[in-house]
Amino acid sequence: MVFGRGVRWPAGILILVCVVILGPSAPSSAPYTRALPAGAPGRVVPNRVMTWNICNPCGSGHNAGRAAEIATYAPQVVGLQEACVSDVEKIRDYLESLYGLVYHVEYGAVLRKLGRCGGVPWRPGAYGQALLSAAPMTQRRNVEFPDGGSEDRGYLAVTTQVDGRSVRVFNTHLAERRQEGVRARQIGVLAAEVGRYDRAIVLGDFNARPYSPELGPMWALATDTDPQCRPSGFGICETTTDWQAKFDYVFLRDVVALGHHVRHTPHSDHDLLYTDLDVPADSAAG
């Protein structure tokens, strides 16, 4: 190609000039790169589990940020509540494409509603719980509570690997804060199933403070990963919500907590909670 007085520019130089003038071809709106905070593990931590209610703010605009938060701690198992299937699909894609973290997924939808998750009138999006696991999940069971309160609620249960051991993992979201009686009935259903297993991990948003009477059946079966948090109300529980209440739990049955961490996030009004675990070798998943 000739410019001015017969000056001939090689094609490679011309392309470089165009890039400088016009900028890179990748869209500038790409929300995240692979960069994570210092200390991020970079690979799945096999004995780490996380629970996180990801809605409010809701919507797909926060999915890249949610994936970055999960990748920062890279748990073996992630329990998500108030999750649309379409949003979880995007989060999972980001985790793999941007951070190299590959997860299996199981969904525990309890509601199909256009206003919640988009879709089309004849096929509205599914909404409820989801479990991500770096190991395959088997024996999936999705249960909708007989009484959801103001909105359908339920639990999702699978068998998977944590700390190299087989364990039954539950993920739940109970009725809203001022519906104590409904939550009591829901916990009765959940506790009856958890009690069938010698070893279990129960993740979720229970919408109840530790000393709330309706949590009694769970405390009878398991302990929370927060060592200061017990039903007596004498301990100082670390809060997990923007309104300074503890509603989110990792209940453990024949599993030992090695560390308990709550991290504030701008992508939800619930903090994400993760914990490292020691799963004993001398008991069975049930």
Side-chain angles (χ1 to χ4, degrees):
M1 187 170 291
V2 177
F3 293 86
R5 299 180 179 179
V7 178
R8 187 176 298 274
W9 285 31
I13 294 177
L14 180 60
I15 292 172
L16 179 61
V17 170
C18 291
V19 169
V20 171
I21 295 172
L22 299 176
S25 59
S28 59
S29 60
Y32 282 86
T33 66
R34 286 183 58 90
L36 292 172
R43 63 182 64 184
V44 167
V45 181
N47 67 329
R48 181 171 293 173
V49 300
M50 173 187 289
T51 184
W52 192 15
N53 182 322
I54 61 172
C55 192
N56 196 16
C58 307
S60 60
H62 292 264
N63 288 332
R66 292 166 182 151
E69 297 271 19
I70 294 170
T72 297
Y73 307 105
Q76 173 81 3
V77 172
V78 185
L80 301 175
Q81 302 91 42
E82 292 202 66
C84 294
V85 168
S86 57
D87 288 336
V88 176
E89 288 173 343
K90 292 182 178 69
I91 291 168
R92 187 174 172 229
D93 287 345
Y94 279 127
L95 286 166
E96 182 171 359
S97 63
L98 297 181
Y99 308 107
L101 301 175
V102 179
Y103 287 97
H104 303 267
V105 63
E106 291 288 354
Y107 296 102
V110 293
L111 181 67
R112 294 184 181 274
K113 189 174 182 182
L114 187 65
R116 270 288 190 182
C117 296
V120 291
W122 56 92
R123 192 178 179 184
Y127 168 86
Q129 286 72 246
L131 278 166
L132 302 177
S133 175
M137 292 175 277
T138 61
Q139 297 176 292
R140 171 187 175 273
R141 188 169 187 222
N142 185 41
V143 175
E144 185 173 340
F145 293 127
D147 182 0
S150 56
E151 182 179 78
D152 295 348
R153 299 287 163 92
Y155 72 81
L156 171 67
V158 302
T159 298
T160 190
Q161 296 283 313
V162 177
D163 194 27
R165 313 289 184 191
S166 181
V167 63
R168 192 68 170 168
V169 178
F170 295 79
N171 182 23
T172 192
H173 184 199
L174 302 189
E176 293 180 354
R177 282 178 278 175
R178 294 178 179 84
Q179 300 177 31
E180 294 87 351
V182 176
R183 283 198 304 275
R185 293 189 289 275
Q186 293 172 346
I187 289 176
V189 173
L190 176 63
E193 182 67 14
V194 173
R196 296 180 56 236
Y197 295 88
D198 295 329
R199 174 193 295 163
I201 300 170
V202 186
L203 313 170
D205 173 6
F206 283 72
N207 268 319
R209 298 175 188 268
Y211 49 81
S212 299
E214 65 267 25
L215 282 186
M218 282 306 305
W219 287 118
L221 292 171
T223 58
D224 183 52
T225 58
D226 184 346
Q228 300 299 317
C229 198
R230 296 296 179 263
S232 64
F234 292 116
I236 302 175
C237 300
E238 190 168 4
T239 62
T240 64
T241 65
D242 285 357
W243 53 94
Q244 299 302 302
K246 177 177 171 66
F247 282 177
D248 305 274
Y249 297 81
V250 177
F251 281 111
L252 303 176
R253 181 170 169 83
D254 193 30
V255 177
V256 179
L258 301 179
H260 169 84
H261 309 274
V262 176
R263 296 292 182 262
H264 180 71
T265 166
H267 303 292
S268 173
D269 59 355
H270 285 252
D271 302 326
L272 60 85
L273 187 163
Y274 75 91
T275 186
D276 295 340
L277 304 174
D278 177 21
V279 182
D282 58 352
S283 61

